[in-house]
Amino acid sequence: MDDLKKITEIIESAGFSHTERIHMETVELMDEVREMCQNGNCGMYGKNWACPPGCGSLEDCRKNLSRYQKGILVQTVGELEDSMDWEGIKEAEERHKKRFLETAEKLREICPEVLPLGAGTCTLCKECTYPGAPCRQPEKRISSMEAYGILVSDICTKNQMKYYYGPDTIAYTSCYFFDLSS
Ligand code: SF4
């Protein structure tokens, strides 16, 4: 079995609601998304090594991403009782994060250079060391798609993945990139 088949098998069996292959020409790193981080959209700007500015410039991200030839989007969709169902939102988020991190570990075994980009900031440590001390797990830390300047709704649309599943649902989207050149 070749690596791409193994990768696909691992991702397909992880329990995500939806998965979709990324056409690499649709991966656009946008200054506007970085500006949303800087404007405090999620409140993690300047608070974590995996978020800007700690994760490097958009040019650094572009350079890093240029090594990768394949990508796969993964998504968890949660059903909510109503739009105020905070417990349901949290539960879907945790379910997605658990699947995403466990899958990243399995993928690392066959593709050590995998680049996982998550939904939200890096939470591998209880408290991030930023900015006082170096990152505790630089090989494993996980930036968000937004930290890389990727507009999630845009990349979903361009790769035939829905982004919005209607009222009383919540969708968490992440992705993995692979260097299969060797
Ligand atoms: S691995 Fe730990 S120290 Fe490094 S970015 Fe993530 S939370 Fe911060």
Side-chain angles (χ1 to χ4, degrees), residues 48-50 122 124-125 128-129 135-137 141:
N48 189 296
W49 285 112
C122 180
L124 291 185
C125 310
C128 188
T129 56
C135 172
R136 288 192 193 98
Q137 307 182 68
R141 81 168 169 236

Side-chain angles (χ1 to χ4, degrees), residues 23-158:
H23 298 275
M24 293 303 281
E25 68 278 10
T26 67
V27 183
E28 202 184 336
L29 310 196
M30 305 179 201
D31 289 318
E32 294 85 337
V33 178
R34 271 296 181 95
E35 280 161 22
M36 291 194 287
C37 295
Q38 199 160 358
N39 290 341
N41 258 33
C42 80
M44 291 310 294
Y45 184 89
K47 293 187 180 159
N48 189 296
W49 285 112
C51 291
C55 64
S57 68
L58 209 51
E59 209 38 59
D60 295 333
C61 295
R62 221 168 253 130
K63 202 167 152 205
N64 189 30
L65 203 51
S66 67
R67 301 159 50 200
Y68 297 91
Q69 313 88 36
K70 302 277 182 203
I72 298 180
L73 285 164
V74 294
Q75 201 172 52
T76 300
V77 180
E79 303 282 337
L80 307 176
E81 283 174 17
D82 53 51
S83 60
M84 306 290 276
D85 180 8
W86 308 120
E87 212 173 288
I89 292 172
K90 186 106 189 85
E91 194 272 329
E93 183 188 8
E94 280 170 7
R95 201 150 30 98
H96 178 73
K97 193 175 274 186
K98 186 170 184 293
R99 272 180 200 149
F100 177 68
L101 292 177
E102 285 174 357
T103 303
E105 283 307 301
K106 287 184 190 165
L107 292 170
R108 264 197 197 101
E109 286 171 21
I110 49 169
C111 192
E113 302 299 319
V114 61
L115 174 66
L117 295 181
T121 194
C122 180
T123 52
L124 291 185
C125 310
K126 208 168 166 203
E127 260 187 56
C128 188
T129 56
Y130 189 90
C135 172
R136 288 192 193 98
Q137 307 182 68
E139 306 302 324
K140 287 192 173 179
R141 81 168 169 236
I142 296 182
S143 287
S144 64
M145 293 176 75
E146 288 85 355
Y148 262 63
I150 297 172
L151 189 61
V152 177
S153 56
D154 176 70
I155 198 169
C156 285
T157 306
K158 287 178 175 161

